[in-house]
Amino acid sequence: MAKLGPMGFSPYPTAVNEGVLNPPEGKALLFDEIVDEEVAMREAAKAMLTRENPTIFPGPQVLYAWSEDAKKKAKLIKELAQVLGAKIIPMYDYRPKYPKINPEVEINPNHPNLTIWHNNIKACIFVGVHCHYANVALKIIRAETDCFTIALCSMEGHEDAMITLRDQHPEELEKFIKIAKEVKKELGI
Amino acid sequence: MSFKVFQINEEFLDVMPKEIVELQENATWGNPKRGVMDLPFHKELIEEHSLCAGCPEAAALRYIMASIPAPEDTVIVNSTGCTSLVFPHIAMHTIHSLFGNQNAVASGIKRVLEYRYPDRVKDVIVLAGDGATVDIGLDCTLQSFFRQEKITTICFDNEVYANTGGQESGMTPKGHVFKMAPKGKQFEKVPMWQLAIDSGCHYVARLTVSSPKRVESVIKKAVYVAREVGPTYIHLYTPCILEIGLNSDQGLEEMRSKDKERFEFFEYVSPQAQEVIEKRKAEGLL
Ligand SMILES: Cc1ncc(C[n+]2csc(CCOP(=O)(O)OP(=O)(O)O)c2C)c(N)n1
Ligand code: SF4
Ligand SMILES: [Mg+2]
């Protein structure tokens, strides 16, 4: 199952290797359990609101204004960050960067652990990162850090994240923001 | 598709690294008159690199990136070697091919781009070291010339396999000794510029990168001729200061000395290429 790291310096066994698959349509994944979307959203909000240095990592699909959907999502992600009290660190390019990235202001999928270690991030949200790079980065994070990962995926999800929400479009983001506000109130934050 | 898809969403301008925002605000996009004179005033398409300090390959790349007439519509195909360390930092589409097959990859990309974007001009430029272009990739290089592919090939000739620690290449001059070629090169330097002419290139230039303006001029000519006529080839001397034992401030001096020797400026222009060059000059683009 997709445990919190550290699992040592190898990203294996991967979640799929351990029999954890993406959730079916309309459902979400909470560790290795298939749950309702609301349940996963509440847990995700709780993780972001209670763990240290929560951070949102937006990828190119939402950073750049390439579609109406992307523009809408950008506004909503900004609002979500405010509600969750989260920092935003962009994953604007996937190419490896030599000699090194600046972990203060960027995250690179080839060594995402550097940004997580540097900023002591204990909960994060991936959103707008293309699936193949989200898959790589989430495996590395799971293996090498104790960061609680949440994937807001517009497609089928990422079983290596601790919480996977699939088919996430602007309406679902709005729903997540609403739930996050409720959880925040319940927690008295 | 347009390069405007990379417009940053307003909401994220405050969290994007400064250099990425600058690329949007102050790089020279959509202006074929861009050139090396923009270097001090505009955002360069290279942010940083990990080549040795003072490596002339880095200077060459900066001049080339500043001179490419339409970076937003250009794909660069590169190969393994010192230059390949720079490509992840370039704000352009780049493809890292398998060592040696860069001209085959570029041929395919150019053909697909012509098919996919029939109404748009897309330039494809190969940029690789002497080992990749002239030794291991010579087959692919020459075959692309024979087939008259409309691509520009730029060879960074540092006369050695630099990235793997100093083996001799076909471009090493006779007698040169390198760390891993202790007996000295046994045969002559391959006259690649001549092979390019004989194999059907329409514009060929050989030069050092001691003069930025000259680099700009040959790059623009090569790209414009490749667009309309056929393959073009540029052979640049970018000495490996590390392997020939020079300090980081001695690259320019080394190139200047070779300006008068084996890298004396040489240009070949076919009659069709000449027509294109005249046309572009009349348009103020050269
Ligand atoms: C197919 C393949 N063969 C061999 C290599 C090993 N290799 C990496 S860089 C290099 C030398 C590159 O020399 P050159 O093209 O002259 O570029 P330079 O590093 O000198 O700029 C070689 C042989 C490789 N990466 N791939
Ligand atoms: S090894 Fe030579 S060619 Fe490579 S970066 Fe260093 S000086 Fe430049
Ligand atoms: Mg070389």
Side-chain angles (χ1 to χ4, degrees), chain B residues 50-52 55-57 82 158 162-163 238-243:
Chain B
S50 55
L51 301 182
C52 299
C55 174
E57 281 193 354
C82 287
N158 52 11
N163 198 234
T238 53
C240 173
I241 49 174
L242 185 84
E243 290 299 337

Side-chain angles (χ1 to χ4, degrees), chain A residues 58 62-66 70-71 73-75 77-78 88-90 92-93 95-100 105-106, chain B residues 4-9 11-12 14-17 19-20 48-50 84-85 87-92 94:
Chain A
V62 292
L63 287 172
Y64 300 105
W66 62 285
K71 289 180 203 168
K73 279 187 177 174
K75 284 196 178 61
I77 290 165
K78 199 79 183 199
I88 298 178
I89 297 184
Y92 59 89
D93 197 341
R95 299 174 296 178
K97 194 166 176 183
Y98 304 106
K100 65 180 171 69
V105 297
E106 61 189 323
Chain B
K4 293 210 175 80
V5 299
F6 290 107
Q7 196 82 23
I8 301 165
N9 267 320
E11 289 76 11
F12 294 125
D14 59 336
V15 294
M16 279 293 231
E19 65 271 19
I20 303 297
E48 57 183 339
H49 64 78
S50 55
S84 56
L85 299 178
F87 287 97
H89 301 267
I90 287 177
M92 282 176 69
T94 65

Side-chain angles (χ1 to χ4, degrees), chain B residues 94-143:
Chain B
T94 65
I95 309 274
H96 187 122
S97 72
L98 181 67
F99 191 78
N101 74 3
Q102 57 280 353
N103 279 58
V105 170
S107 305
I109 291 172
K110 176 68 187 183
R111 291 180 188 195
V112 168
L113 289 174
E114 273 184 348
Y115 175 76
R116 174 80 172 74
Y117 302 99
D119 311 326
R120 263 186 115 103
V121 179
K122 295 274 182 183
D123 299 314
V124 177
I125 300 177
V126 175
L127 214 155
D130 50 312
T133 310
V134 186
D135 286 347
I136 301 176
L138 186 64
D139 182 6
C140 292
T141 308
L142 293 186
Q143 295 287 353

Side-chain angles (χ1 to χ4, degrees), chain B residues 203-273:
Chain B
Y203 176 81
V204 175
R206 178 194 66 201
L207 62 158
T208 76
V209 294
S210 65
S211 159
K213 281 296 279 180
R214 186 177 272 169
V215 174
E216 174 181 333
S217 159
V218 302
I219 294 293
K220 287 184 171 168
K221 286 180 195 168
V223 170
Y224 287 135
V225 171
R227 260 185 209 175
E228 294 189 32
V229 189
T232 56
Y233 178 74
I234 296 175
H235 194 96
L236 296 177
Y237 180 48
T238 53
C240 173
I241 49 174
L242 185 84
E243 290 299 337
I244 60 177
L246 297 180
N247 291 328
S248 50
D249 59 351
Q250 290 175 311
L252 184 58
E253 211 178 298
E254 163 64 18
M255 291 190 285
R256 284 194 177 137
S257 74
K258 298 303 176 289
D259 277 335
K260 300 180 200 83
E261 275 186 38
R262 58 181 187 277
F263 287 98
E264 191 182 359
F265 181 58
F266 164 84
E267 207 177 29
Y268 163 81
V269 188
S270 77
Q272 292 126 292

